[in-house]
Amino acid sequence: MDARPVGAFDSGVGGLAVVRAFRQLAPAERVIYFADSAWFPYGPRPPAEVRKRAFAITHRLLESDVKLIIVACNTASAAALRELREAFPGVPFVGMVPGVKPAALRSKSGHVAVLATAGTLDGELYDRVVEQFGRGTKVTAVAGTGLADMVERGDISGPAIAARLEQLLGPAVGRGADTVVLGCTHYAFLGEAITRLFPSVEVVDTSEAAARRAVDLLCDADALSPGPGGLDLIVSGDRQRLRATMAALGFTPAEQEANR
Ligand code: DGL
């Protein structure tokens, strides 16, 4: 048993998709979520800058005595996961890796599209995952420029997001991609919009797999919490705006509970 909280962070609301999955699997856990909205978006920033934010946030979460940290952001995982593990060997980290492996296994056409930020697609982690799991599969990288901004505004359905998704994914789907990997945690909120637009396409969302990995690590270390569970938000930018976005994304008032 370990009653300490779990830490998680992202540039904004994206990582909350992972936190929501985690809290469904482990409702007795208290989560401290750091939304780095003052530095949003991470996607176009140089990796060194994102790494600096990841380290600063990790220090802040450790001040709150977290027992595990979920890097609930693909861009930050690409820029900093290895370095965080090296710098904090006593802290278990769970990071986000684009789901190329499940996508390659599920694709019937042998062509998958990975929708992610420029920071993720330019990183070495992405190359490694494609090299390791994408053999024999055509993997098309699609930079989701502007999508995370729309999610931050709560714009996850309607004509504007549909038009942008059509523009970004239409060419790959037209060339036979039958599986789309959501390689950015913000895009977890766009799964339904993608399916509506491209009904025959399968969407791969790794939010739940990452949440499950965190639960497994806690189980293995006998570090699950006896409760009570909850969610505390730390916001580097505008807290009211974050809460308004959470409401627009369908988080109930209970799910939005924030004590600090
Ligand atoms: N949610 C972040 C990710 O998973 C990216 C959004 C941003 O550009 O800040 O990559």
Side-chain angles (χ1 to χ4, degrees):
M1 287 282 179
D2 188 338
R4 291 180 299 159
V6 166
F9 71 92
D10 179 35
S11 60
V13 292
L16 287 167
V18 184
V19 167
R20 174 143 71 183
F22 177 76
R23 295 191 66 216
Q24 275 162 5
L25 292 169
E29 297 298 323
R30 190 160 73 85
V31 178
I32 301 180
Y33 183 77
F34 192 117
D36 198 13
S37 46
W39 291 80
F40 176 87
Y42 281 175
R45 292 185 189 276
E49 205 176 332
V50 176
R51 206 173 297 132
K52 217 167 147 183
R53 291 307 300 154
F55 271 74
I57 294 165
T58 296
H59 281 294
R60 172 63 192 86
L61 290 172
L62 291 174
E63 274 171 24
S64 294
D65 201 21
V66 296
K67 59 186 170 185
L68 176 145
I69 294 178
I70 305 174
V71 183
C73 171
N74 288 83
T75 310
S77 298
L81 188 58
R82 208 188 42 209
E83 290 82 353
L84 288 170
R85 286 184 171 137
E86 279 167 15
F88 303 95
V91 180
F93 286 94
V94 173
M96 303 303 298
V97 176
V100 173
K101 186 181 179 182
L105 290 171
R106 282 183 222 172
S107 173
K108 293 190 179 65
S109 67
H111 183 181
V112 309
V114 180
L115 188 61
T117 67
T120 296
L121 296 174
D122 290 345
E124 176 202 307
L125 178 67
Y126 176 71
D127 288 343
R128 226 180 320 131
V129 166
V130 172
E131 161 74 21
Q132 203 175 347
F133 303 113
R135 285 218 189 113
T137 302
K138 182 172 159 69
V139 182
T140 300
V142 180
T145 314
L147 287 181
D149 302 75
M150 295 175 90
V151 174
E152 279 295 313
R153 293 197 294 270
D155 189 0
I156 56 168
S157 56
I161 195 77
R164 187 70 185 129
L165 286 169
E166 170 69 53
Q167 202 177 26
L168 291 169
L169 288 171
V173 173
R175 285 196 306 272
D178 66 351
T179 309
V180 172
V181 175
L182 306 179
C184 164
T185 51
H186 277 75
Y187 307 165
F189 296 102
L190 299 177
E192 275 177 34
I194 294 173
T195 309
R196 246 192 325 268
L197 205 55
F198 307 107
S200 62
V201 155
E202 184 158 357
V203 172
V204 173
D205 176 0
T206 52
S207 308
E208 196 185 321
R212 199 170 288 284
R213 172 86 188 126
V215 175
D216 286 349
L217 286 179
L218 293 176
C219 267
D220 291 350
D222 197 16
L224 286 168
S225 172
L231 173 65
D232 290 346
L233 300 174
I234 304 174
V235 189
S236 63
D238 184 339
R239 165 179 290 273
Q240 280 319 107
R241 199 170 159 268
L242 182 95
R243 299 197 70 170
T245 305
M246 285 179 79
L249 296 178
F251 285 84
T252 63
E255 286 176 316
Q256 290 186 50
E257 166 200 343
N259 309 322
R260 67 182 72 203

